[in-house]
Amino acid sequence: YARVLRRGDNWSMKYIAEFMPVVIIKQPHPGYAEDGTPVDLPGSKQRIYGAGISPVGLQMNLRRGCVLQPYVNGTAGVLYFTDNVPVEDSSNFNFIFGLGAGVELWYRENQSLIFGYKYQHISNGYTAPRNPGVDSNLFYMGYAWSWKQ
């Protein structure tokens, strides 16, 4: 979801919100060392599924009115997983923060293609005994449709 908050001659500031119906993290199976501390089992993999929402976000588009518009954005929200992420003794509830940039290619008056990059950090914010966090580099593409204004 995006809504224009302010416009200038050559820029626009948008409020953005993201819904993530499926999130998959691939990580090693957890185990325990001889002294009882949790460790990752080498060579093992598991998929943990989740969903989330980032209701707090801003995006600045440059070259407003042009076909090719570069943008920068930032988002914040929450993720809920079916198991602890990223390690045992952490949490299945995590916060998510992202910073990104890309281009929006307008091919019709109210339709565009989006190509972007996002640096994303997932962390439980010390709401559990362990909080190692996960950092990701994501490349994405999307489609945007808007009502004519």
Side-chain angles (χ1 to χ4, degrees), residues 116-136:
Y117 161 81
K118 180 183 280 191
Y119 167 79
Q120 194 164 288
H121 178 75
I122 300 171
S123 167
N124 65 41
Y126 294 101
T127 60
R130 295 181 68 197
N131 182 34
V134 175
D135 294 320
S136 304

Side-chain angles (χ1 to χ4, degrees), residues 1-144:
Y1 174 79
R3 181 170 183 84
V4 175
L5 299 174
R6 295 200 57 141
R7 297 171 208 221
D9 292 336
N10 205 24
W11 60 274
S12 65
M13 180 66 73
K14 299 177 184 180
Y15 162 78
I16 58 173
E18 298 174 341
F19 174 62
M20 296 156 278
V22 178
V23 177
I24 303 169
I25 291 213
K26 194 174 179 181
Q27 66 184 33
H29 280 283
Y32 290 92
E34 291 179 11
D35 64 358
T37 59
V39 297
D40 292 335
L41 299 175
S44 66
K45 295 286 184 203
Q46 67 175 335
R47 285 186 178 92
I48 299 177
Y49 297 90
I53 186 168
S54 290
V56 178
L58 287 175
Q59 177 170 305
M60 177 175 268
N61 281 47
L62 304 172
R63 298 182 48 179
R64 190 172 81 86
C66 296
V67 172
L68 190 66
Q69 297 180 17
Y71 66 83
V72 293
N73 63 24
T75 57
V78 294
L79 292 172
Y80 184 82
F81 291 96
T82 57
D83 203 353
N84 290 341
V85 169
V87 295
E88 200 64 27
D89 291 339
S90 61
S91 178
N92 57 350
F93 178 81
N94 285 272
F95 300 99
I96 187 168
F97 303 96
L99 294 172
V103 293
E104 195 165 356
L105 176 64
W106 290 87
Y107 65 95
R108 289 196 178 145
E109 184 180 350
N110 65 336
Q111 296 177 35
S112 65
L113 297 174
I114 301 165
F115 302 93
Y117 161 81
K118 180 183 280 191
Y119 167 79
Q120 194 164 288
H121 178 75
I122 300 171
S123 167
N124 65 41
Y126 294 101
T127 60
R130 295 181 68 197
N131 182 34
V134 175
D135 294 320
S136 304
N137 293 290
L138 306 170
F139 292 95
Y140 63 91
M141 59 184 186
Y143 166 80

